[in-house]
Amino acid sequence: MNKTIGFIGCGKMAQAIIGGILKAEKVSAEMIIASAKSKATRVHVNKTIGIKTTSSNIQVAEAADILFLAVKPNIHQEVISEIKDSLKQEVIVVTIAAGISISDLTDAFLRPIKAVRSMPNTPSLVGEGMSALCINELVTNEDLNEVKAIFSSFGKVEVVTEHLMDSIPAISGSSPAYVYMFIEALADGGVKGGVPREQAYKMAAQAVLGAAKMVLETGKHPGELKDEVCTPGGATIEAVGELEKQGFRSAVISAMEQCTAKIKNL
């Protein structure tokens, strides 16, 4: 990819994206530039990742062919007001902030732009991210393929219509938090049964990882995979029955509904 990729903001998620790009050899480090207010962040990113860093958002905007807005939603308007007259004509602008719509972007820039709204998640930090993208009508198939290639470098990516984007955080953006709680609960249960804490965490985390890979790689319905573990009259079906009695599924769905409601109110 012979494009300069710019990042305004260089926190953990931006660093995960940059790391994925470099690991996949999509572009060289010389073709990536990032801005950050914090000198400590700039020094850290420069030393550990090897890309050029700057305190100037305008410098990044002027250089970028693909520009990531990796800042919090509440400062999007401030940043865009600063850089809107410094963009290349054909730049692709990608936001990774929850609640920022494509119309929010285009309205803020006061001119038509190629806009991509994205929702990555924190497992991107270990190359197992799940990202959702939606685009406006100015983004070409070639543009989209370039953006998808970037997100695919640190996980999986799906393109959805924008009306679904407010539902994405609940299923992939915020859901790692629920899974961590599940892993913690599994480990607590293991400790209660006498398993040492560190071994319990490792066993629980690997079981979740393995189960997820079974869904992704076999193509089987999760219910079918669950049935394969539940032998008639066995211990697993007893556990499944208790989870159903305690409202396991309904609790998860209710949590997702609350998450989505919050996103819509941002």
Side-chain angles (χ1 to χ4, degrees):
M1 188 185 301
N2 188 27
K3 297 286 179 71
T4 297
I5 304 176
F7 290 81
I8 294 180
C10 202
K12 288 187 181 295
M13 187 57 68
Q15 291 175 38
I17 295 172
I18 295 166
I21 296 169
L22 295 176
K23 186 175 181 181
E25 299 182 344
K26 299 296 182 184
V27 299
S28 65
E30 291 75 21
M31 299 294 286
I32 303 175
I33 182 173
S35 64
K37 286 185 177 181
S38 165
K39 182 178 179 180
T41 298
R42 297 195 301 271
V43 171
H44 171 75
V45 170
N46 183 260
K47 285 185 176 180
T48 59
I49 304 180
I51 65 166
K52 182 177 181 180
T53 58
T54 176
S55 61
S56 171
N57 293 336
I58 290 177
Q59 184 180 355
V60 174
E62 289 175 339
D65 298 300
I66 301 174
L67 178 64
F68 280 80
L69 299 180
V71 295
K72 294 179 180 179
N74 62 328
I75 64 170
H76 258 65
Q77 183 62 59
E78 176 187 340
V79 168
I80 291 171
S81 295
E82 178 187 3
I83 67 169
K84 62 184 175 63
D85 297 324
S86 303
L87 301 179
K88 293 182 179 181
Q89 186 62 35
E90 293 298 310
V91 66
I92 304 168
V93 178
V94 184
T95 177
I96 67 172
I100 300 296
S101 69
I102 286 176
S103 62
D104 290 334
L105 278 181
T106 54
D107 289 348
F109 278 104
L110 301 177
R111 71 171 177 86
I113 59 165
K114 296 181 177 183
V116 179
R117 179 180 175 185
S118 72
M119 176 52 61
N121 65 6
T122 56
S124 303
L125 290 163
V126 293
E128 292 292 348
M130 181 65 243
S131 303
L133 309 176
C134 67
I135 61 176
N136 70 355
E137 69 281 357
L138 297 181
V139 176
T140 66
N141 286 335
E142 181 180 355
D143 296 332
L144 178 58
N145 286 336
E146 288 177 339
V147 174
K148 285 174 65 177
I150 290 171
F151 281 89
S152 295
S153 69
F154 52 87
K156 299 186 184 300
V157 57
E158 291 288 334
V159 179
V160 301
T161 55
E162 188 169 21
H163 81 277
L164 294 176
M165 286 297 285
D166 285 341
S167 298
I168 296 302
I171 191 171
S172 65
S174 300
S175 63
Y178 330 150
V179 176
Y180 300 143
M181 292 174 69
F182 180 51
I183 290 171
E184 186 178 30
L186 287 174
D188 284 346
V191 170
K192 187 176 181 181
V195 180
R197 171 69 63 180
E198 290 305 313
Q199 287 184 314
Y201 280 136
K202 184 180 292 185
M203 290 176 179
Q206 181 61 36
V208 171
L209 174 62
K213 289 191 74 171
M214 287 287 286
V215 173
L216 292 172
E217 295 183 10
T218 67
K220 292 183 178 180
H221 190 284
E224 182 181 357
L225 292 169
K226 179 262 295 176
D227 289 349
E228 290 175 359
V229 186
C230 295
T231 54
T236 305
I237 193 62
E238 286 291 329
V240 168
E242 185 62 22
L243 286 172
E244 293 287 13
K245 188 188 301 182
Q246 297 298 328
F248 180 69
R249 295 183 202 226
S250 62
V252 172
I253 293 169
S254 179
M256 293 175 70
E257 289 172 344
Q258 290 296 312
C259 181
T260 299
K262 181 68 174 180
I263 289 294
K264 290 181 177 180
N265 286 329
L266 286 176

